[in-house]
Amino acid sequence: QKEVEQDPGPLSVPEGAIVSLNCTYSNSAFQYFMWYRQYSRKGPELLMYTYSSGNKEDGRFTAQVDKSSKYISLFIRDSQPSDSATYLCAMTHPLTGRRALTFGSGTRLQVQP
Amino acid sequence: IAGITQAPTSQILAAGRRMTLRCTQDMRHNAMYWYRQDLGLGLRLIHYSNTAGTTGKGEVPDGYSVSRANTDDFPLTLASAVPSQTSVYFCASSEVSNQPQHFGDGTRLSIL
């Protein structure tokens, strides 16, 4: 079983829709949570970074963390065709030797104009 | 523009050949990483370096080596390439370990 599970999609929505992207994880030691956006043939780009449970908003993006359920979400309001990309969740914990991020496999989002 | 530069952008390589992927960052970040990205498997850590002069093994280190002679450069070497190393390779950096990472645009490597 993977430590981080993410539905691969593709998820297809009409322009203007609210998008919900989700990840579940199994290791309760994870403390920092990130969302990355990856366009085709490009590297992942950091969108959101959060530590605590609750919501964090940045423009049209809201990251939500529920540590009790080991569940994180990214909401995109008023989705645009330019939001079409693969979205990767990532998380990390401070144990010695674990010095990098654990990624979900990514959800491909298509926003139809 | 500050960031991470990877070279080459793509390469086709015969099995058994030696190959070094280059990575340079100009953000003065202490930590650097190499990942490979494969369909359905996501990003997997190959090697990392928390600071210049130190390196560590990630999830899939076999067949790869790294060095970190200075802060800016973190080359990844395939000593004798095999077809299973066909992948997209991403270099990343962060100010310190366990902080958000910034990625380059990758090297697409095909081993025939």
Side-chain angles (χ1 to χ4, degrees):
Chain A
Q1 183 187 4
K2 293 180 182 178
E3 282 191 291
V4 180
E5 297 281 357
Q6 188 174 8
D7 188 324
L11 177 63
S12 184
V13 301
E15 183 175 354
I18 296 174
V19 176
S20 172
L21 303 165
N22 311 296
C23 286
T24 59
Y25 61 96
S26 57
N27 191 337
S28 58
F30 285 130
Q31 292 187 355
Y32 298 91
F33 304 91
M34 283 143 269
W35 284 96
Y36 285 83
R37 177 176 62 196
Q38 186 176 20
Y39 291 114
S40 180
R41 303 186 72 81
K42 290 290 188 180
E45 169 194 3
L46 182 67
L47 277 179
M48 301 286 285
Y49 170 56
T50 185
Y51 169 75
S52 57
S53 285
N55 293 350
K56 181 177 180 180
E57 190 172 321
D58 184 1
R60 296 185 295 111
F61 299 92
T62 299
Q64 187 176 81
V65 175
D66 183 345
K67 289 187 177 181
S68 63
S69 300
K70 300 190 188 72
Y71 190 87
I72 67 171
S73 299
L74 178 71
F75 298 98
I76 307 174
R77 291 183 298 280
D78 188 24
S79 56
Q80 302 295 310
S82 58
D83 294 328
S84 298
T86 297
Y87 290 80
L88 303 160
C89 64
M91 47 201 78
T92 185
H93 64 75
L95 285 180
T96 299
R98 294 294 296 268
R99 298 297 184 182
L101 303 178
T102 301
F103 282 87
S105 55
T107 298
R108 189 155 61 94
L109 171 67
Q110 296 172 338
V111 181
Q112 306 294 339
Chain B
I1 299 176
I4 294 179
T5 302
Q6 291 187 239
T9 55
S10 64
Q11 183 76 44
I12 298 173
L13 190 67
R17 297 297 294 269
R18 179 184 180 90
M19 176 74 190
T20 296
L21 308 185
R22 300 186 297 279
C23 175
T24 300
Q25 54 104 357
D26 60 5
M27 298 174 283
R28 306 303 294 172
H29 283 174
N30 286 301
M32 296 187 75
Y33 314 84
W34 275 105
Y35 293 88
R36 60 178 290 174
Q37 187 175 38
D38 302 287
L39 194 63
L41 297 176
L43 285 152
R44 294 181 292 167
L45 182 68
I46 304 171
H47 285 287
Y48 65 90
S49 169
N50 288 333
T51 189
T54 69
T55 62
K57 293 181 179 180
E59 182 183 355
V60 289
D62 294 342
Y64 306 95
S65 63
V66 293
S67 61
R68 187 89 184 276
N70 57 60
T71 297
D72 299 341
D73 301 300
F74 191 42
L76 176 74
T77 297
L78 289 67
S80 179
V82 295
S84 61
Q85 293 176 311
T86 293
S87 188
V88 182
Y89 291 85
F90 288 100
C91 179
S93 72
S94 61
E95 199 168 332
V96 293
S97 62
N98 276 333
Q99 292 298 302
Q101 295 172 18
H102 301 268
F103 286 79
D105 281 337
T107 293
R108 284 150 189 82
L109 186 61
S110 296
I111 313 296
L112 304 178

